[in-house]
Amino acid sequence: DQQVKQNSPSLSVQEGRISILNCDYTNSMFDYFLWYKKYPAEGPTFLISISSIKDKNEDGRFTVFLNKSAKHLSLHIVPSQPGDSAVYFCAASESSGAGSYQLTFGKGTKLSVIP
Amino acid sequence: DSGVTQTPKHLITATGQRVTLRCSPRSGDLSVYWYQQSLDQGLQFLIQYYNGEERAKGNILERFSAQQFPDLHSELNLSSLELGDSALYFCASSGVKGYTFGSGTRLTVV
């Protein structure tokens, strides 16, 4: 049973517009959520995270929104740039610390930003 | 550069064989994690070590094993390899600087 779901395998967006990537989770014990970006032949790179005590976290062009009651989070990228084209993974953890914890990943959404 | 080093980058081997993947964590990180990414799948957690001790186990097959050495590097051993074991294997480490991944080892079983 998948505990973290990214239901859109792919997404295409015009350069300059907003990209919205969605993620749903089922495990109510998750209290820390992360987004990773992955280019081919590279490891996942941390993008942004959010703790369950918040509903929004912003870092430059990237904003993550968390709706705990719906067990849903989303990543907004605005404005989208061609260099944002990559696979985006949503991940969740039961620990919000920077110490020792395992991540449960979704299957990823491939974002293509069209110039 | 994430600071996590994985070797080799690519590995091609035959069914039934045994391979060892190596991971050196980022300096200062005590935890090492192994993940598997198969085709069209997200990253599946396999196993975690913390300062030499096994901390958590995920969906790791009995044919697979791992260990973390006193210098904190880790090895993932995959034996009796099957075609379905072909995947990207990622190592990650974590500590006070957060969680970071290596660039992975691509294993192809033929």
Side-chain angles (χ1 to χ4, degrees):
Chain A
D1 179 35
Q2 250 196 310
Q3 298 187 65
V4 177
K5 297 180 184 178
Q6 293 177 257
N7 292 319
S8 298
S10 62
L11 175 68
S12 289
V13 172
Q14 286 290 130
E15 180 179 2
R17 307 295 285 267
I18 185 170
S19 295
I20 300 176
L21 295 94
N22 293 303
C23 178
D24 297 294
Y25 62 96
T26 57
N27 186 344
S28 57
M29 297 300 292
F30 287 146
D31 60 3
Y32 189 56
F33 304 89
L34 309 90
W35 284 94
Y36 281 84
K37 177 179 178 180
K38 186 182 180 303
Y39 293 115
E42 294 183 12
T45 302
F46 171 75
L47 200 55
I48 193 168
S49 63
I50 188 167
S51 165
S52 60
I53 61 173
K54 294 186 173 182
D55 55 18
K56 177 182 174 181
N57 188 27
E58 193 171 351
D59 183 2
R61 297 186 297 115
F62 303 92
T63 302
V64 56
F65 295 92
L66 175 63
N67 182 334
K68 283 175 291 188
S69 60
K71 293 191 176 68
H72 176 84
L73 61 155
S74 61
L75 174 68
H76 293 209
I77 306 172
V78 56
S80 301
Q81 300 173 353
D84 296 330
S85 297
V87 177
Y88 288 79
F89 289 98
C90 171
S93 167
E94 293 185 26
S95 170
S96 57
S100 174
Y101 54 94
Q102 67 191 66
L103 298 175
T104 301
F105 283 85
K107 291 188 177 184
T109 296
K110 183 176 183 179
L111 173 66
S112 300
V113 180
I114 304 161
Chain B
D1 181 13
S2 68
V4 177
T5 304
Q6 287 189 251
T7 56
K9 289 194 181 303
H10 303 276
L11 199 49
I12 301 175
T13 189
T15 54
Q17 295 299 305
R18 182 179 189 274
V19 296
T20 297
L21 312 184
R22 182 188 168 103
C23 170
S24 294
R26 178 177 51 189
S27 177
D29 288 353
L30 299 180
S31 280
V32 170
Y33 311 77
W34 287 97
Y35 290 83
Q36 179 194 56
Q37 184 185 16
S38 302
L39 192 64
D40 295 331
Q41 296 290 319
L43 284 81
Q44 301 287 322
F45 169 71
L46 295 179
I47 197 165
Q48 177 201 352
Y49 278 83
Y50 178 83
N51 202 20
E53 301 289 328
E54 182 183 303
R55 175 64 68 92
K57 244 179 180 176
N59 300 319
I60 188 166
L61 300 172
E62 285 192 12
R63 300 183 285 109
F64 296 0
S65 65
Q67 54 184 324
Q68 186 179 27
F69 294 87
D71 66 353
L72 299 177
H73 91 271
S74 177
E75 293 181 355
L76 178 66
N77 301 298
L78 315 176
S79 62
S80 302
L81 284 167
E82 302 174 0
L83 295 177
D85 297 327
S86 296
L88 272 166
Y89 291 84
F90 288 102
C91 170
S93 71
S94 74
V96 294
K97 298 178 188 174
Y99 213 99
T100 189
F101 282 83
S103 58
T105 292
R106 180 175 291 281
L107 173 66
T108 303
V109 183
V110 297

